[in-house]
Amino acid sequence: MADSGGVRPDLAEVFRREYRRVVGVAARVLGSRDQAEDVAQEVFLSFGRSSVPDGEARGWLSVAAAHTALNLIRSGRRRASREETAAVAEPVVVGDVADAVVVTEERGRVRAALGRLPRKQAVALVLRHSGLSYAEVAAALDMSPGSVGTTVRRAETALREELNRHASSG
Amino acid sequence: MRHPGEGVLRRLVDEPAGVADADRGHVADCARCLEELAGAREDATRVGAALSVVGVRADSDIDGADVDGVDVDAAWQRLTAVPAERSARATAPRRGRSILRRPVVAALAAAVVLAGAGTAAANDWLPIFRTERVGAVSLSTADVMALPDLSAYGDVAVTRDGEVHRVRDAAAAAAETGVDVPELAVLPRGVTGGPEYRVGGKVSIAFTFAAERAERAAAGVGERMPSPPPGLDGSQVRLVAGPGVAAVWSQAAGVPALVVGRAVAPTAVSAGVPFEVVRDYLLSFPGLPDTVAAQLRAFSNGSTLPLPVPGDHVTSSTAQVHGVPATVLATRDATMAAVVWVDDGVVTAVAGAFDADEVLAIAGEVR
């Protein structure tokens, strides 16, 4: 699949087609577009060396982006939440500051909880919320389409419980 | 008829066309299912909002244009540019342009050598061993997905003495790490100039097993955990690797590059539970593919570092380097190869844009 330079010839085409989506997947895990773009660079570097068939590129790239981003969260190398706070604060200049604080906290908590979910649940959840269809998520994760809904539902239940726990204790 | 399962109800929330007519018909007339559907919808909306990012539309259409303000042209430039110096980071694929162009094997080699991450890379796989040799474990993407996520089974704490960073020269690398800096008397054809040196500190990963949490995690995915062996609950396993140093030769575009790294090889200790007990228990975790479990079980002596290898892209074989067994990895397209060996508790790796024979010849010259 690779040419003499070692990089697959369709890299540019796939990059232009899928880059935004890969950033979107990583951003949902990390809460930061800048970090998500870093992750996307890593993912496309690996993809460029791979022989993943074009038809499977979207699923492969999305799974790789989710894993790389989840690994960042888990290894604790994610940058402090200043960036996240700033990103949230930006559009709420005219909004309710208290709401913004709640939203910021909730986002931080949900991402920490995401890092603690079983890996398959976390990846399936992020892929579905990034716009991949049930069939695409199923193919990317080697699951049956029927089990995607169950897996996503369980992840959402776990995250909702996490949010409620803090809401009631706070 | 039977009530549809929670997965079907969840799909009704955002992809109703994918649900069978019979199920849809049932739900429309079933108070209990409608109530559960409402709950699923509420959770999906709330989690979707919490996962949202400014500038990234929630649950976008499949048109690839779901992130506002992303400059794809600039991102492409960044991907294809030859950076003078990329910041050294603990994740291997960003370290220097040799790895930029040849990520697969170089990333593996550098990760193993600099951070002892060969074990951790496989989703926190944590055997108990003293590394005396390295053996390749062939994993597909699906296999990696299926490896147990240890944080669901107990507490995982990672400590490291500093991030991977660049140092001035070999003497500084030796002073900082206490590791004999690898030297190459004769550079292979196509590689010129002096290397850059990067060092990484000692990394320690502690895992404390929690039987109750493991049960919960397994139940959450509809599985049952096997009963833990006596004494394992609350016991701790500690993995230590590094420090290490890597010499990186980077050249202009199109010219081969080379990485030679060396580190204190990973060791792991367990608080009182024998290696075989922990290994067999970990291998019995739900979801671990039989093929992977069989490969890992083959490392029966507690001294072989299982090196996760993407089997779809990389082949592995064995050879002798400096009189000790070595593992040779080569990409299937023959553009890149690496060799890894362990001698007296020190792991050394050589990786570059060579074929397997060439990289073995270079390894033979490493002092």
Side-chain angles (χ1 to χ4, degrees):
Chain A
M1 298 294 282
D3 66 17
S4 58
V7 175
R8 53 188 296 153
D10 62 348
L11 179 61
E13 180 194 332
V14 176
F15 186 91
R16 291 190 183 282
R17 191 178 72 216
E18 304 290 351
Y19 181 75
R20 285 191 174 88
R21 179 177 304 279
V22 171
V23 172
V25 170
R28 280 187 180 81
V29 175
L30 295 165
S32 152
R33 203 175 70 196
D34 286 350
Q35 283 182 282
E37 292 214 54
D38 288 348
V39 166
Q41 291 281 327
E42 286 189 22
V43 167
F44 276 102
L45 283 177
S46 299
F47 178 77
R49 300 285 311 141
S50 79
S51 54
V52 177
D54 181 67
E56 296 170 18
R58 171 174 292 166
W60 190 97
L61 289 164
S62 300
V63 170
H67 270 298
T68 308
L70 285 164
N71 287 342
L72 269 180
I73 285 188
R74 273 246 301 279
S75 67
R77 285 187 289 108
R78 192 166 155 270
R79 287 199 288 271
S81 62
R82 278 197 315 270
E83 189 181 347
E84 199 168 75
T85 308
V88 170
E90 197 175 323
V92 294
V93 176
V94 294
D96 187 333
V97 174
D99 277 354
V101 170
V102 169
V103 169
T104 306
E105 283 183 5
E106 201 152 272
R107 285 176 174 173
R109 277 203 306 275
V110 87
R111 294 203 164 86
L114 200 58
R116 291 193 294 271
L117 282 182
R119 185 55 74 100
K120 201 161 196 165
Q121 280 188 24
V123 174
L125 177 79
V126 169
L127 261 50
R128 179 63 199 124
H129 278 274
S130 300
L132 270 73
S133 71
Y134 283 71
E136 286 179 311
V137 175
L141 297 182
D142 199 19
M143 305 165 77
S144 72
S147 62
V148 172
T150 310
T151 306
V152 170
R153 179 76 182 110
R154 286 179 184 170
E156 286 171 349
T157 303
L159 293 187
R160 183 246 299 151
E161 284 170 358
E162 183 78 16
L163 295 174
N164 285 348
R165 183 157 56 244
H166 285 271
S168 57
S169 66
Chain B
M1 73 175 270
R2 219 162 46 86
H3 299 287
E6 60 181 354
V8 173
L9 293 174
R10 175 62 184 81
R11 195 168 184 182
L12 266 178
V13 170
D14 54 2
E15 201 177 277
V19 175
D21 290 345
D23 284 332
R24 271 189 289 181
H26 170 95
V27 172
D29 294 328
C30 174
R32 176 179 142 187
C33 286
L34 284 173
E35 190 178 334
E36 287 187 19
L37 175 63
R41 192 185 306 280
E42 189 180 330
D43 288 350
T45 304
R46 186 161 176 204
V47 169
L51 287 179
S52 68
V53 184
V54 174
V56 180
R57 262 175 256 144
D59 210 357
S60 62
D61 297 331
I62 313 287
D63 59 1
D66 60 340
V67 183
D68 296 332
V70 164
D71 186 338
V72 178
D73 288 334
W76 175 250
Q77 290 294 325
R78 178 179 165 194
L79 188 78
T80 51
V82 180
E85 171 65 31
R86 283 203 168 198
S87 59
R89 289 174 35 172
T91 43
R94 298 290 300 280
R95 201 177 302 122
R97 69 162 305 285
S98 63
I99 294 162
L100 179 70
R101 292 194 63 239
R102 310 276 186 226
V104 177
V105 175
L108 279 170
V112 167
V113 170
L114 279 174
T119 46
N123 214 357
D124 294 335
W125 178 251
L126 197 60
I128 297 177
F129 64 99
R130 170 187 307 282
T131 307
E132 289 171 5
R133 65 185 62 189
V134 173
V137 176
S138 184
L139 299 176
S140 70
T141 310
D143 290 338
V144 174
M145 290 287 304
L147 285 177
D149 173 356
L150 279 190
S151 61
Y153 303 101
D155 294 316
V156 179
V158 180
T159 53
R160 60 178 73 219
D161 300 341
E163 295 289 314
V164 176
H165 60 278
R166 188 177 168 183
V167 294
R168 194 177 61 254
D169 52 26
E176 195 164 318
T177 61
V179 172
D180 286 339
V181 178
E183 292 174 20
L184 259 183
V186 181
L187 288 177
R189 188 167 49 82
V191 175
T192 57
E196 291 174 4
Y197 292 95
R198 296 194 170 89
V199 300
K202 188 163 80 178
V203 178
S204 173
I205 302 170
F207 172 66
T208 308
F209 185 74
E212 192 195 347
R213 194 190 305 181
E215 281 293 342
R216 270 208 314 274
V221 291
E223 303 270 5
R224 276 206 47 163
M225 283 295 288
S227 301
L232 190 62
D233 189 19
S235 71
Q236 193 176 74
V237 171
R238 187 176 290 275
L239 175 90
V240 181
V245 54
V248 181
W249 282 264
S250 303
Q251 302 287 328
V255 180
L258 174 66
V259 180
V260 182
R262 182 172 282 162
V264 175
T267 56
V269 291
S270 153
V273 183
F275 165 72
E276 291 80 6
V277 173
V278 177
R279 182 200 62 199
D280 290 344
Y281 185 63
L282 290 176
L283 292 178
S284 69
F285 279 11
L288 187 66
D290 291 344
T291 51
V292 175
Q295 287 189 75
L296 292 170
R297 192 170 280 114
F299 297 107
S300 58
N301 52 12
S303 63
T304 301
L305 173 66
L307 178 62
V309 169
D312 356 359
H313 308 305
V314 176
T315 60
S316 63
S317 57
T318 55
Q320 292 273 320
V321 173
H322 299 294
V324 301
T327 296
V328 183
L329 306 173
T331 54
R332 292 188 184 276
D333 59 8
T335 54
M336 178 81 201
V339 56
V340 185
W341 70 94
V342 180
D343 194 359
D344 198 18
V346 174
V347 58
T348 305
V350 176
F354 306 97
D355 66 24
D357 290 340
E358 289 170 324
V359 85
L360 271 172
I362 298 166
E365 297 296 321
V366 171
R367 295 285 170 265

